[in-house]
Amino acid sequence: MIVIILDQFSGWLVRRFYNSDVSSSFTTDYAKHRISLSTVQRAILTVGAAAISLFNPYRGDMIACLAETTGTDALSYCHRQMLATSEGCRILAEKPRISSSTVDFSALKRLPAGTLGKFITISWK
């Protein structure tokens, strides 16, 4: 289902895509295929991924592996920071999907330099 709403914080028209089937199937697949790692296994993956990433930074799979094995503390910090604000709580509750089809790039282009929105217009287009 596609819902077009006026965002109360920015005043922009935003298209939201809601599909509860996708969310539940992802959760089911994730739980079914998740592999728990011991501390030793995580350390070996971290060192290996870091070494390969240094020698070949174009190996996106190793960069992703490094992020997954070392990013837990950073993600926990981001989560706590988001819970500390009303806007962050709203984003965590709604879980919006963001893609090039749901973003108003013309509005982002009008934002001042140095803002996240301006950076997104430069990097996504």
Side-chain angles (χ1 to χ4, degrees):
M1 168 178 19
I2 299 173
V3 178
I4 299 177
I5 61 170
L6 181 63
D7 186 31
Q8 67 182 9
F9 294 102
S10 66
W12 298 346
L13 286 178
V14 180
R15 287 177 285 181
R16 301 275 168 101
F17 296 87
Y18 295 99
N19 190 343
S20 59
D21 294 336
V22 171
S23 179
S24 64
S25 68
F26 171 79
T27 305
T28 305
D29 285 345
Y30 179 80
K32 189 186 318 179
H33 300 292
R34 183 177 187 280
I35 299 171
S36 296
L37 298 176
S38 70
T39 304
V40 173
Q41 290 171 321
R42 188 173 303 280
I44 291 169
L45 275 174
T46 300
V47 171
I52 293 170
S53 298
L54 286 172
F55 289 111
N56 185 0
Y58 296 103
R59 288 284 307 267
D61 58 332
M62 291 294 107
I63 302 290
C65 179
L66 185 60
E68 288 181 22
T69 56
T70 62
T72 305
D73 292 336
L75 287 175
S76 295
Y77 174 77
C78 289
H79 188 255
R80 286 191 309 273
Q81 292 295 103
M82 289 182 77
L83 287 173
T85 65
S86 61
E87 184 178 18
C89 288
R90 183 176 60 88
I91 291 169
L92 290 172
E94 291 180 7
K95 300 177 185 176
R97 291 188 174 262
I98 300 171
S99 69
S100 59
S101 63
T102 61
V103 176
D104 182 0
F105 285 102
S106 61
L108 292 179
K109 285 180 185 176
R110 295 190 298 269
L111 292 174
T115 60
L116 178 62
K118 188 70 165 187
F119 177 76
I120 288 173
T121 61
I122 294 167
S123 60
W124 274 14
K125 288 288 180 168

